[in-house]
Amino acid sequence: MLLIFLLSTLGALGLVGLFARRWTLGERLAAAVPLGNLLIGLIGLALASRLGMTPVAMGLAVVLSSAPALVWLRMGPRRRLVRVVRVSLGRMRQHLRTRGRQRVVLGIWYSVFLAFLLRFFWGACYADADGAIWTLNVANLGDLPLHIGIVRGFTVGENFPPDHPALLGARLTYPFIVDFTAALYVRGGASVPGAFFFQDATLVACTLYALWRLTRLFTRDSLAAHLALPLAVFCGGWGFLYIGGDWHLAPSGSLQEFLLHLPKSYTNDADRSLRWGNMLCVLLGTQRSIVLGMPLALTVVRLWWDGKRSGMWLAGLMVGLLPLGHVHTFASMSGVAALQALGSLRRDGFKAALHRWLPFFTLLVLGAVPSLAYMLLGSATHTENFRRFALGWDGGATDVVGWARFWLFNTGPFIPLLVLAALRAPQRVVAFYLPFLLCFIGPNVLQLAPWIWDNLKVLIYWYLLSVPLVAGLLAGWLKTPGLRVWTPLIALCCMAAGAVDAWHVATGSDKQQIFSPQEQRFGEAILAVTPPHAKILTAPAYIHPVYWAGRRMWLGYPGWLSSHGLVYKYREDALLAIYTAATPVEAEALLNQYEIDYIAITPRERGDIPSHGDNKKHLPLNETLFRQRYPVVAQQGEYVLFKVR
């Protein structure tokens, strides 16, 4: 795994060095790590689709993705790299040698902050001593099994070209490149939890450094850069005010018991109109594709800020390769780029704007067309579900006052602070920032995904680019005698709810098992007796051993399918009819019609079928029928697989 990571990052580092010659080593690495993940994922996918996930395909992917490092064979690029490394190491030694209270405080703060983040991302997916796979983040309960199913489909399921794990026969158009790269790591020797943790930790580190650097460039204030990271990571609103009223929900009534077993989320609770979920809990800890998209997006923003034509080539390449990486990041950056180009046209004139932006849009189009064609042409995804008018996002507001109240409640003091910061910021910073308001306005008037809450994947880019302005304002207040007393309290109000939710996850209050050892053994048994593209009938559950087997369900979890714009209703009706059939004739007619090969009966089916979907009569699972007519080909205790055809 480390060899694959290092070689792909080395190749991306060579590519970044060609177009961003004045960047520091930290800036180059923050761009190269996610770009390396993206490049080896795309190259590896193309090769695996033809050769399978064989050592030959993996070796070729590593060689091709690391090929840009050959640029260092030339004297000029090699000298520039050596100079950058020397300067960066020199600055690092200088900072370490500098003594003072500020250095000690910063050292302690970053040590605690990074240790907390490592604990958080380790808890996103981990294996106990007995091999059971768990998550500490209840928000990850519905997403983690999907990503595990995708990775296992690549590593052991021969899922090429990729089918959706939960809808056999439907092309997988959900942005999955980050999972394919994880699959390369797994084939390289890592466990699934190990690959996920390594990716999350390295990519989020790149995101945080890129945000730190952007804040430093926008504000020219190191204190603002330090404030930007907790403002971003612990984003939230006024939900923490409910804590006092919820204290009594603790079993013993003690503060310690309450803090270790928080009963609610204070950033994402629909019953309290809290929908602006904390970024760490509901995005970085669950939405693996956006973990890849964020550092790439911030790198592109940095290249725009530099404004150099050479950097525009790299920015266009990054955005153009993003659709299979994270389509919402691609859409966000493309829309903002159009507005940035229009602003450049107004300020600099047609020739200057064309000279600067033509490289970006050229590579964007050339890179995006193949991915978008793969995702859209012949896809089962209904794209009309991604472009509906829906005013007010997910707040349920019917008027402007209600909409404003929703946002002020969900983001706390952040928006008023942002307005003040924009009034005080330099003109160049404000002009550069204004196009990012598209990422706020768009999701508030359009439904950009079948599940409207997923608009958050675009809204977050408005927030991330607003953080440097607010951090700059707070840093200025901390240096003002009359305001420095109140500024920490204001900052705390911006971060308290998010910090409480992140603490809730880190303490393991909602620890959830994803795959037990028995379910994994049953999955391995399924893998041993079924061909890769077998049609397996299961309960439409989000956790099932079939995912661990790397096989695709005939019909899986409807929540995933509806949020991905896929139609599944006819299969849901047939599934219930088969499992609850009163006679063999009824069951066999449907089994033959849909050419089902295997049927699973596990605790999932016994629990889900009587109460699922349109089964209003709560008809029970007719297990006796299957046991009488079909042979058992795999079994682990209560987990049974029958062969139908």
Side-chain angles (χ1 to χ4, degrees), residues 96 157 205 283 387:
L96 292 174
L283 289 178
R387 52 176 189 272

Side-chain angles (χ1 to χ4, degrees), residues 123-126 133-137 140-141 144 510-512 514:
C125 177
Y126 70 97
I133 293 180
W134 297 76
T135 182
L136 298 182
N137 188 356
N140 206 16
L141 186 61
L144 183 57
D510 287 326
K511 179 180 177 181
Q512 301 283 340
I514 305 299

Side-chain angles (χ1 to χ4, degrees), residues 33 55 59 79 83 101 125 143 149 203 233 242 261 341 379 401 450 480 484 626:
V33 170
R79 284 180 175 175
R83 184 169 60 250
R101 183 183 303 173
C125 177
D143 291 275
L203 292 172
V233 167
Y242 286 111
H261 299 89
S379 168
V401 174
T480 304
R484 66 176 54 163
F626 301 105

